[in-house]
Amino acid sequence: MTAGVALPERLEKVRRGIADAATEAGRSAAEISLIVVTKFHPPQLVRDLFALGVTDFGENRHQEAQAKAAELADLDLTWHFIGQLQSKKARQVRAYARVIHSLDRDSVVDALASADSTVDCFVQLNLTDDPARGGVRHADLEALTERVLATSGLRLLGVMAVAPVGEEPRAAFARVRAASDRVRAIAPAARYISAGMSGDYREAVLEGATHLRIGSAITGNRPPAG
């Protein structure tokens, strides 16, 4: 990130980039949600972004997200949990996150079940051959989708994925689009795609992404982990 570039300018540059990609794809930028990832950044940055019109924020570490959400409870924010979710922490995450992007196994789905409230969620797809990476395998996508649909308190929005390092992003996101079609065959309302980060959001938009998870292009370089 260019040193000295102010937060409003960085945000505006990304917003213009999203609008340009949407135009290139023949889409409306209004149908694309920008989620600013604030991992490792202080709560004040969230306040600054809120003042600039940002209301959707993403975090992938539960303890940090929980503390940040509590400190910023005076703001009308939508918190998105985008990291790998431990079953034992699922209900705690559910308490502050309005959207969970990382459902990737039965135990997490079951842990999020609730008869009292509904949380929006995405099924995360693993685009690599590494089982240690977050996400369900392609072969298990329909089964996990059915599990989510059968679980009380979950509203399935669609699919989420991260483009693998070393693969051309658009090709990766084309596979996500194909996976989205498979999910929609089971759950027609689950039409959303969470994909695209700072370095590849244009390609994600061109392949139908509706939710972009963008960090450093807006926030600047992350401070060291505490």
Side-chain angles (χ1 to χ4, degrees), residues 18-223:
I18 293 170
D20 290 346
T23 298
E24 186 178 351
R27 302 174 59 196
S28 168
E31 68 187 51
I32 300 169
S33 297
L34 170 60
I35 302 159
V36 180
V37 180
T38 49
K39 176 184 177 181
F40 297 150
H41 287 284
Q44 184 58 49
L45 181 70
V46 177
R47 291 190 181 277
D48 293 343
L49 285 163
F50 181 77
L52 295 170
V54 178
T55 56
D56 289 80
F57 294 90
E59 293 281 338
N60 65 354
R61 302 196 311 169
H62 163 59
Q63 285 186 309
E64 180 181 354
Q66 185 180 51
K68 217 172 269 185
E71 185 167 342
L72 297 165
D74 57 305
L75 303 181
D76 185 14
L77 307 177
T78 296
W79 290 102
H80 298 250
F81 189 80
I82 60 177
Q84 279 194 277
L85 185 58
Q86 298 177 18
S87 301
K88 63 183 180 181
K89 301 289 187 182
R91 299 203 70 78
Q92 294 178 49
V93 170
R94 188 190 170 105
Y96 59 81
R98 292 192 201 174
V99 190
I100 299 174
H101 291 241
S102 47
L103 273 60
D104 62 358
R105 58 196 186 280
D106 290 350
S107 60
V108 168
V109 173
D110 295 347
L112 287 168
S114 173
D116 301 320
S117 63
T118 299
V119 66
D120 290 339
C121 60
F122 289 86
V123 168
Q124 182 177 356
L125 185 67
N126 186 351
L127 296 179
T128 76
D129 295 324
D130 181 1
R133 294 292 297 268
V136 65
R137 298 185 309 159
H138 277 272
D140 298 326
L141 178 61
E142 281 85 359
L144 187 63
T145 297
E146 295 279 13
R147 185 82 164 221
V148 174
L149 295 175
T151 301
S152 62
L154 299 182
R155 184 169 81 102
L156 181 62
L157 296 185
V159 296
M160 179 273 232
V162 177
V165 174
E167 180 176 353
E168 198 284 312
R170 188 159 182 186
F173 295 138
R175 292 194 282 138
V176 180
R177 182 193 282 250
S180 174
D181 290 342
R182 289 165 58 193
V183 168
R184 291 174 66 185
I186 302 169
R191 59 186 179 85
Y192 299 99
I193 297 175
S194 172
M197 300 188 294
S198 289
D200 57 22
Y201 68 83
R202 172 185 169 272
E203 291 83 357
V205 170
L206 293 177
E207 289 298 332
T210 60
H211 292 64
L212 308 176
R213 311 179 307 273
I214 299 179
S216 60
I218 294 172
T219 63
N221 294 328
R222 290 172 176 166

